[in-house]
Amino acid sequence: MLRRSFLLRSVALGATSLAWPAAKATAEDTAERQAASDRLRAVFTESDDAYLRNNPIFGLFRGDRRFADQFGDYISDAYFAAEREAAERDLQALQSVDRSLLSPAEQVSADAFEWAARDRLASLEPEILAASAVRPIDHKTGFHIRFPEASSGQSYAPFRTLADFESNLSRMDGYAIYLDRSIERFREGITTAVVQPRLVVDNVIAQLDSQLAAGVGQSLFLQPLLRFPDDIAEEDRARLSEAYAAKVRDVVLPATQRLRDFMAEDYRPVARESVGLGDMPGGAAFYRRRVASETTTDLTPEDIHQLGLSEVARVRDEMEAIKAKVGFTGTLTEFFEDIRTNPAFKVETAEQMAALYASIGERVEAALPNLFNVIPKSDMVIMPTPAVRERGSAGGDYQPGSADGSRPGVFYFNTYDLASRTTIGTETLYLHEAKPGHHFQFMIAIENESLPAFQRFSTSTAFLEGWALYAESLGDELGMFTDPYQRLGHLDAEMLRSMRLVVDTGIHAFGWTRERAIDYMLENSATGRTAASAEVEPDIANPGQALAYKIGQITIRDLRTRAEERLGSRFDVRAFHAAVLEDGAVPLTVLTAKIDRWVEEIAAG
């Protein structure tokens, strides 16, 4: 409890700039208020247009096709300079707005905007770029896996018009250039000894090998050709089919081969045996930057490591209680091993797993109105994780739907090495990735057209994953966890996020090895070795991201507790959830100040 109080205090103290202006009562102030509001919107619009011009792929994610024929740069010194200039311009433009004249909602937007600009600038400091820009690809976040998937016709890039197909042809040229420029960046890193761990390199090579083995015929880039819209003429279909095959054969696969050969022959021999950032020049400073950016707090790696240890101990005690309840007499480690090998907790096919999640979804759907008065209009579908990335992915993930409703949200469940996976965490995974987790958090914001674009489509990890983990904790209120093994699965998921506080900081700040991190997970949870590896290896590739889950969840849960204690019978959980979600994924500093103000307004009557 002491550690939790410290966490919330550290978040709240960072929000002192969020003082809310006293309302002006005179009618003559209306024009000033409107002018300030209009200026703020103009600042947001100008910033967003510049962002999408410099990052066109992310426009596709939103359904904005203005720059759809461009892949983008993302890697050159000129790109980083443009991003730095854009952030500086944003902060300067924001100074032209009299924030005392803004509405409370606009205050939230302005402060979230300022936080994001300052965070971008901090991440573009020379010492940070020296540790990050020369490692452009990893097996978790690399464009080499995300772009082919986006081009498959089953992801966010649209293939509904002739122009959509033509645009993707053009993007493939940019993608090949990006792969070649990645080689140049990797070579720079070799000269400064700033290189990826060999583990990451091996995973990337395996991913590239898979794409090369698929060849032209099975390439994800050709998948949209199997589903041409009816209004595309036969002659265009034939032309596009020939052009796509030629582009993959003559441009994409050769670039993929060049990257693969470089990674295997030149880069792997100099890659690090160690896995933590602390063993790399500039790595310690880069990790601290990642921690600040991902958690949106000023907590240190040391603070977070201790928080994780205390949370692991608490959850272990609750797991011991479940073990006693079901009558297992062995140790907790033996209990976990029994679950891992028990056929009662297995499914044999992806279809069976999909049916299980569909059944859970029906039960959740019936109970949602008890906790939510704002529910997304967008549909959501359940699908297995695409084969191109299933090996290195976690147990599940979510892809948001499109703003126009033409593409549903997708809850992906991983079936890689299905025999090693158990079903005890299925209820919790659904709550996290689907409803009321990521699907609600993403789509409520995306569907709210009154929000500026940077809030509608925000990817602030601490909020995104904090909400999803908080959503898991709503299982009891939604009628889940009546089976003690599903409750154990919930605790196992909570343990996973608690362990990741320990493991991520352990790897990158305290010199832990991959094996030590995996063993720590096996000792403290029912996670199988394959699943534990799939959790640890992304933390190696994407440092700091794992920390955001638990820190965000604790913040949201403590905000709810404070609201319940302050408001008593006037507390409405549905209104609280709407207040948390309605402004999109804002930094925890901004969220804390907003909810505190919301509580006081209700308390004042």
Side-chain angles (χ1 to χ4, degrees):
M1 186 60 69
L2 175 62
R3 182 63 62 174
R4 289 188 177 207
S5 298
F6 165 72
L7 173 60
L8 191 56
R9 185 163 64 251
S10 73
V11 171
L13 289 175
T16 54
S17 67
L18 293 171
W20 295 75
K24 295 187 177 182
T26 57
E28 55 265 30
D29 292 321
T30 301
E32 281 186 287
R33 288 179 174 278
Q34 187 60 52
S37 179
D38 292 345
R39 176 58 188 145
L40 185 68
R41 285 282 172 172
V43 169
F44 292 160
T45 299
E46 292 163 10
S47 172
D48 198 56
D49 285 346
Y51 174 76
L52 293 183
R53 281 194 299 273
N54 211 33
N55 300 272
I57 287 294
F58 298 101
L60 292 176
F61 175 80
R62 300 183 185 182
D64 185 327
R65 305 189 205 180
R66 288 176 297 166
F67 312 108
D69 62 337
Q70 302 170 39
F71 178 82
D73 181 345
Y74 312 108
I75 201 168
S76 70
D77 289 343
Y79 168 79
F80 294 126
E83 287 290 283
R84 187 180 297 108
E85 291 169 6
E88 292 170 344
R89 189 168 56 247
D90 287 347
L91 290 172
Q92 185 176 8
L94 191 60
Q95 291 178 358
S96 69
V97 179
D98 185 345
R99 287 159 78 166
S100 70
L101 299 174
L102 300 177
S103 70
E106 289 169 335
Q107 281 275 11
V108 171
S109 296
D111 285 294
F113 183 80
E114 179 179 359
W115 189 95
R118 295 193 184 282
D119 182 65
R120 286 165 62 199
L121 279 177
S123 297
L124 291 165
E125 288 291 329
E127 70 167 344
I128 301 303
L129 285 179
S132 59
V134 296
R135 299 181 300 114
I137 284 176
D138 60 66
H139 65 269
K140 173 66 174 176
T141 63
F143 268 122
H144 70 296
I145 51 174
R146 294 300 181 182
F147 183 69
E149 183 182 337
S151 301
S152 69
Q154 299 296 301
S155 188
Y156 57 82
F159 287 89
R160 296 193 292 271
T161 68
L162 183 60
D164 290 339
F165 283 85
E166 301 282 10
S167 291
N168 196 52
L169 270 177
S170 179
R171 291 196 297 270
M172 282 192 265
D173 286 322
Y175 171 63
I177 292 171
Y178 176 87
L179 296 184
D180 285 333
R181 286 179 176 172
S182 295
I183 295 175
E184 297 172 11
R185 281 301 196 192
F186 279 128
R187 289 194 188 279
E188 290 179 32
I190 292 175
T191 66
T192 59
V194 179
V195 293
Q196 294 283 31
R198 186 163 296 170
L199 166 71
V200 172
V201 177
D202 286 342
N203 283 335
V204 169
I205 291 171
Q207 291 168 333
L208 297 173
D209 281 341
S210 177
Q211 294 176 29
L212 291 168
V216 176
Q218 298 301 313
S219 170
L220 287 178
F221 289 101
L222 266 63
Q223 294 304 300
L225 306 179
L226 303 177
R227 295 173 293 274
F228 277 117
D230 293 340
D231 59 354
I232 292 184
E234 287 297 330
E235 57 268 28
D236 286 322
R237 297 185 186 198
R239 175 181 60 81
L240 287 169
S241 296
E242 182 177 348
Y244 266 64
K247 188 78 71 175
V248 172
R249 181 185 65 242
D250 300 334
V251 177
V252 173
L253 288 181
T256 304
Q257 187 73 57
R258 287 192 294 273
L259 178 60
R260 187 268 174 208
D261 291 345
F262 166 78
M263 297 296 283
E265 298 168 11
D266 298 338
Y267 197 74
R268 188 180 186 279
V270 299
R272 287 185 286 126
E273 289 289 348
S274 62
V275 293
L277 285 176
D279 294 317
M280 185 185 77
F286 178 59
Y287 185 56
R288 288 193 296 271
R289 171 92 290 274
R290 290 287 298 163
V291 169
S293 184
E294 292 292 340
T295 69
T296 66
T297 73
D298 59 1
L299 292 173
T300 68
E302 293 76 17
D303 290 330
I304 294 170
H305 194 77
Q306 291 302 314
L307 173 65
L309 291 172
S310 65
E311 286 294 286
V312 166
R314 177 186 62 80
V315 177
R316 268 190 79 93
D317 288 343
E318 295 188 35
M319 286 179 160
E320 289 281 4
I322 295 291
K323 177 172 71 73
K325 181 176 181 178
V326 300
F328 191 88
T329 57
T331 67
L332 196 58
T333 299
E334 291 168 341
F335 187 37
F336 295 152
E337 184 60 28
D338 181 71
I339 290 171
R340 292 184 193 112
T341 57
N342 192 330
F345 305 118
K346 306 284 186 180
V347 296
E348 296 181 355
T349 67
E351 290 75 18
Q352 290 174 337
M353 188 69 85
L356 178 58
Y357 281 118
S359 174
I360 294 168
E362 291 175 1
R363 292 161 52 208
V364 171
E365 200 76 31
L368 285 172
N370 297 329
L371 298 183
F372 294 88
N373 55 21
V374 178
I375 291 177
K377 302 180 183 67
S378 301
D379 290 335
M380 190 203 75
V381 297
I382 302 171
M383 297 173 59
T385 302
V388 69
R389 61 180 177 87
E390 65 177 1
R391 183 177 181 274
S393 294
D397 60 274
Y398 173 79
Q399 177 183 285
S402 60
D404 63 5
S406 60
R407 186 187 71 246
V410 183
F411 162 38
Y412 291 109
F413 60 93
N414 200 335
T415 58
Y416 178 77
D417 192 14
L418 192 58
S420 75
R421 300 180 185 274
T422 68
T423 59
I424 67 167
T426 48
E427 289 183 355
T428 293
L429 186 63
Y430 184 92
L431 295 173
H432 181 107
E433 301 293 350
K435 303 178 183 181
H438 283 317
H439 184 66
F440 272 43
Q441 160 261 302
F442 270 108
M443 298 315 302
I444 287 174
I446 289 173
E447 292 171 3
N448 185 357
E449 296 182 358
S450 68
L451 291 178
F454 81 90
Q455 281 175 265
R456 291 179 68 197
F457 303 99
S458 172
T459 55
S460 174
T461 308
F463 185 100
L464 300 184
E465 300 299 352
W467 170 263
L469 188 50
Y470 167 80
E472 294 178 15
S473 74
L474 300 177
D476 284 314
E477 295 171 87
L478 291 168
M480 301 290 106
F481 310 153
T482 55
D483 178 347
Y485 287 100
Q486 285 295 336
R487 183 172 298 281
L488 181 69
H490 167 65
L491 291 173
D492 198 49
E494 188 174 8
M495 176 64 88
L496 170 63
R497 278 48 177 260
S498 301
M499 291 188 301
R500 290 179 82 185
L501 296 180
V502 179
V503 165
D504 194 287
T505 53
I507 289 171
H508 297 293
F510 296 102
W512 283 26
T513 64
R514 170 185 178 271
E515 290 70 28
R516 181 176 177 183
I518 291 172
D519 287 344
Y520 183 82
M521 286 194 161
L522 295 178
E523 291 164 6
N524 288 285
S525 73
T527 303
R529 182 167 291 275
T530 296
S533 300
E535 295 294 346
V536 168
E537 293 185 6
D539 294 348
I540 293 170
N542 191 22
Q545 192 262 359
L547 308 178
Y549 293 71
K550 194 68 178 172
I551 290 171
Q553 180 259 341
I554 290 174
T555 300
I556 295 172
R557 174 56 67 177
D558 283 356
L559 286 172
R560 175 173 169 177
T561 299
R562 281 167 41 174
E564 289 172 332
E565 292 174 351
R566 179 76 174 92
L567 297 178
S569 62
R570 286 179 290 178
F571 177 79
D572 181 346
V573 67
R574 296 176 302 171
F576 172 78
H577 290 155
V580 170
L581 293 173
E582 65 187 359
D583 290 311
V586 298
L588 298 182
T589 52
V590 178
L591 177 68
T592 297
K594 180 216 166 144
I595 296 301
D596 283 347
R597 174 64 180 179
W598 176 80
V599 169
E600 291 308 313
E601 287 178 345
I602 295 174

